[in-house]
Amino acid sequence: GDENESSCSNKPECYANISGAAASSHTRRKQFTVLPQPGLRHAAHHRSWQVHAQVHDEFVATRRHPRRTVAQEVALLEARTGANAILIPWIFFSYSSNKQVKYIPHDILWRWNHSKHHYSSVHKTRDRYDVIEHKYLFKPSECYDFNIHSVSCTPPIVESTRGARASRSYAFRRFSEAKLQRAILVIHHYRFTSENNIRSKCSADSVFNAYSELSHEKCVEEMTRSNYREIYDDTMIQKP
């Protein structure tokens, strides 16, 4: 609920990866840069896999085989392809104004229909029909130049919809519902959890405020407009 949002949603330390290294620098209109302390970087390089994600609203999830764990799917992909990095696409979830959010993956159960256009004149809420963002799940020992959305890795790199090898410049284009249902791994991106959460993210002192060309109210209007509730998706509740 709002208590959870206010305690986490706008703080850089809420950006973390599975090694425990937190994002420690941010400048306006730029993404976080992950700068682990030397000890954390050393620890990261001794972990098998790492992902940079906001712990509050980004969840890696299995999709094609929903009862498998992420670890199981990663192990299978690694065994089959020798992957050093896996590109995983976002899917966008949307809150319901009449439902209190206590645990995000179980309480936010509507999302965009990724086979449809969602037009907007604002970059942050732009249409993702043609291309959608992704995150890297990667081996720190085989990768370098980390930041929150991009990693440079020694091949092979694999994309997680077909489990096929891909180039570093690979993009998830026309990521339709058919492709989504066949995907091995996806990232559930719970961008907003309430109207208050949107207002907080649109505030001038928010580290998420990449909307400085907009007034606060215009930002709220555009973010609210992008909260499309088109497909009911209870995948996370059904997992064992």
Side-chain angles (χ1 to χ4, degrees):
D2 293 344
E3 180 181 354
N4 193 23
E5 293 157 15
S6 62
S7 64
C8 186
S9 62
N10 287 331
K11 295 181 180 179
E13 58 266 32
C14 294
Y15 262 87
N17 56 54
I18 60 174
S19 75
S24 58
S25 76
H26 176 268
T27 54
R28 182 171 293 278
R29 300 187 63 77
K30 293 180 69 177
Q31 290 286 1
F32 287 104
T33 301
V34 175
L35 298 172
Q37 299 171 4
L40 289 175
R41 183 175 290 279
H42 176 77
H45 276 271
H46 286 79
R47 290 177 181 268
S48 297
W49 292 90
Q50 181 171 328
V51 62
H52 294 164
Q54 188 197 358
V55 296
H56 180 65
D57 67 13
E58 293 180 311
F59 294 78
V60 182
T62 55
R63 175 63 58 158
R64 185 187 298 180
H65 305 289
R67 298 188 69 83
R68 290 180 184 172
T69 66
V70 172
Q72 287 171 336
E73 291 288 30
V74 170
L76 289 168
L77 279 171
E78 183 180 15
R80 182 161 58 85
T81 66
N84 288 326
I86 303 169
L87 281 63
I88 308 176
W90 271 347
I91 60 177
F92 284 4
F93 278 74
S94 300
Y95 70 90
S96 298
S97 57
N98 61 349
K99 185 174 179 63
Q100 183 179 5
V101 177
K102 294 182 178 179
Y103 179 53
I104 288 173
H106 288 183
D107 293 332
I108 298 182
L109 301 174
W110 289 89
R111 62 172 175 81
W112 286 24
N113 180 339
H114 285 279
S115 291
K116 294 177 60 176
H117 284 286
H118 301 90
Y119 295 112
S120 172
S121 59
V122 176
H123 179 74
K124 192 68 176 177
T125 59
R126 66 192 178 278
D127 186 29
R128 262 70 172 200
Y129 182 84
D130 290 321
V131 63
I132 196 163
E133 298 94 320
H134 60 266
K135 291 284 185 84
Y136 279 78
L137 181 65
F138 62 94
K139 295 179 182 177
S141 60
E142 300 295 334
C143 302
Y144 55 95
D145 190 24
F146 309 157
N147 67 52
I148 206 69
H149 273 284
S150 179
V151 181
S152 296
C153 296
T154 304
I157 298 171
V158 172
E159 56 83 18
S160 71
T161 56
R162 295 176 296 122
R165 293 194 177 192
S167 68
R168 188 174 183 272
S169 61
Y170 183 86
F172 289 94
R173 301 187 183 280
R174 299 291 175 93
F175 185 60
S176 65
E177 288 296 316
K179 291 180 180 179
L180 188 159
Q181 296 305 327
R182 293 195 303 268
I184 298 167
L185 296 169
V186 294
I187 291 183
H188 291 197
H189 188 15
Y190 303 91
R191 300 172 307 142
F192 313 118
T193 57
S194 67
E195 182 180 346
N196 284 343
N197 182 231
I198 289 177
R199 289 188 173 279
S200 178
K201 288 187 174 184
C202 285
S203 65
D205 60 349
S206 168
V207 296
F208 290 88
N209 188 358
Y211 330 119
S212 60
E213 75 277 10
L214 303 176
S215 68
H216 180 265
E217 289 307 313
K218 182 64 174 175
C219 173
V220 170
E221 178 185 337
E222 293 296 333
M223 302 309 116
T224 302
R225 192 198 313 276
S226 76
N227 188 59
Y228 297 102
R229 298 183 297 277
E230 297 167 326
I231 291 180
Y232 182 79
D233 188 333
D234 63 355
T235 303
M236 297 299 273
I237 291 180
Q238 303 304 322
K239 291 184 179 297

